Amino acid sequence: MPASNADTDVEIMNSFTQPSLNSCHISSAMERNQLHRQLANMRKSLFDQGFLDEQFIQLEELQDDANPNFVEEVVTLYYRDSTRLILNIEQALDKSPLDLTKLDSLMHQFKGSSSSIGAKKVKLECTQFKEYCKAANGEGCKRTFLQVKKEYGTLKKKLEAYFQMARQVGPVETACRPK
Amino acid sequence: MGSLGSGHAAQFHVLAVDDSILERKLIERLLKISSFQVTAVDSGIKALQFLGLQDSTYQFHQEVEVNLIITDYCMPGMTGFDLLRKIKESTSLKDIPVVIMSSENVPSRINRCLEEGAEEFILKPVQLSDVNKLKPHLLRKRAEEQLSMSNKRKTMKECNSEELTNS
């Protein structure tokens, strides 16, 4: 959460009275506020643009001071899982004839983990894929899988950027505060 | 939260079963936040080994008390349903409440599980509110067990005092 205006004012005041000790304070406080705003905007757009749903918020609520990186840890597991499943699905789609049961089972796993992290668009494509499996529509499966990979790739890029920004912003209590 | 009489606040121990490492991490965190002690395993077989129902390379000589088992339905090999059935067939384990998790809302599946003795059926993704619903079950069960134990002691005392009066 961004520092309150009162805190920022105090810091700026302090930096005027003790310039030699706190010369870094004005720029770092302003920068920090700017980064906080950027991070909040990134997060908001992930929801507004439908990449993430309410389940991601559920994960955020499981994070605390004792488990400060919980969300990123879960998302990292998701990348690992997804890489493996995407490869397996790709291999299964290359076979002829298609083993629809196996494809459905693999996609079921991928849909499950996508759902658990709140990956809304990815989950939608997974659902579509499963529909084509049920309808024994191999071409539909292959087409939809391209969409699955596209949405997954987009989400991964956005989340990586988001967590990188979050790390830059750092914990709310930074080392630059006057002691 | 009502008081539980004489009960000391011993943590409830939950055995979580899911083949997905992501799901295990999630369920573990949900349970720990709700003050449960958690053991997470990745298969039904490992769950049965932990519960002492199956031969394994690990010899559990100590009593492992499990208050609740929460298991995924769709798992390779032994499904959550198979595990539920094995537990309910076991004289030593049948009273442990079993909760089934599934990402699919299939009424026939839900009914099957409940008929086989599952306590609850939770739709994934599991949320904190789902886990919060589990505690009242366990607290009530513990209260019932304590009540029945204290009743047994009372009955025995009465029998003993009768014997003394009659002799």
Side-chain angles (χ1 to χ4, degrees), chain A residues 52 55-56 58-63 67-82 112-119 152 155 159 163, chain B residues 20-30 125:
Chain A
L52 295 176
Q55 177 61 20
F56 191 83
Q58 291 280 323
L59 293 185
E60 288 176 324
E61 290 179 355
L62 297 178
Q63 195 159 281
N67 298 268
N69 303 309
F70 179 72
V71 185
E72 195 176 2
E73 286 166 9
V74 173
V75 171
T76 305
L77 282 176
Y78 174 61
Y79 299 152
R80 260 176 44 187
D81 246 9
S82 304
S113 44
S114 300
S115 171
S116 288
I117 71 141
Y152 170 74
L155 177 66
L159 285 176
F163 286 116
Chain B
S20 158
I21 185 170
L22 192 155
E23 300 291 331
R24 279 199 307 279
K25 186 173 174 78
L26 201 49
I27 195 76
E28 210 170 331
R29 181 81 187 114
L30 285 167

Side-chain angles (χ1 to χ4, degrees), chain B residues 150-166:
Chain B
S150 79
N151 279 345
K152 275 201 197 123
R153 271 186 250 120
K154 241 207 253 171
T155 317
M156 282 176 69
K157 260 206 221 149
E158 284 165 358
C159 285
N160 288 344
S161 64
E162 264 178 36
E163 280 175 16
L164 289 170
T165 344
N166 290 343

Side-chain angles (χ1 to χ4, degrees), chain A residues 103-130:
Chain A
L103 279 168
D104 187 67
S105 164
L106 287 168
M107 187 49 84
H108 178 78
Q109 293 176 58
F110 189 40
K111 182 183 168 186
S113 44
S114 300
S115 171
S116 288
I117 71 141
K120 191 172 178 180
K121 289 194 191 204
V122 178
K123 187 169 86 159
L124 275 167
E125 297 299 335
C126 291
T127 303
Q128 185 62 70
F129 184 99
K130 290 190 78 186

